Amino acid sequence: MGRFFFDISNGDGDSTDDDGVEFPTAAAAEDELAKVLGDVVREAVVRERNGRVVVRVRDESGNVCMKGMLDFAIENLPTS
């Protein structure tokens, strides 16, 4: 078991996780990373229409042990 910290970078700036969350395995933390990444993009795309979201996961020692990143864009296309 270990504590993992999820730091988020997006168009709103950077957010540092000072509390962290306990997970039984690194794989469980990776699953949470995927969920957090999706949630942040879902909120950001409504406001920004395009951009990049990066979530870095730190372990208890402060080392970045995982990173998830998604680019997103909504484009209006010309009609024929």
Side-chain angles (χ1 to χ4, degrees), residues 4-22:
F4 295 86
F5 301 83
F6 295 76
D7 301 331
I8 299 169
S9 298
N10 63 17
D12 291 337
D14 297 338
S15 173
T16 302
D17 179 1
D18 295 324
D19 299 324
V21 179
E22 291 279 338

Side-chain angles (χ1 to χ4, degrees), residues 38-78:
D39 290 344
V40 173
V41 167
R42 189 172 4 304
E43 292 175 15
V45 74
V46 172
R47 291 186 314 272
E48 301 170 28
R49 300 298 192 222
N50 63 66
R52 171 177 283 180
V53 171
V54 179
V55 179
R56 290 176 182 81
V57 181
R58 292 178 287 118
D59 61 18
E60 291 175 303
S61 300
N63 299 314
V64 176
C65 57
M66 300 175 209
K67 179 175 86 169
M69 178 174 55
L70 283 174
D71 293 319
F72 60 91
I74 293 177
E75 297 178 5
N76 289 314
L77 302 174

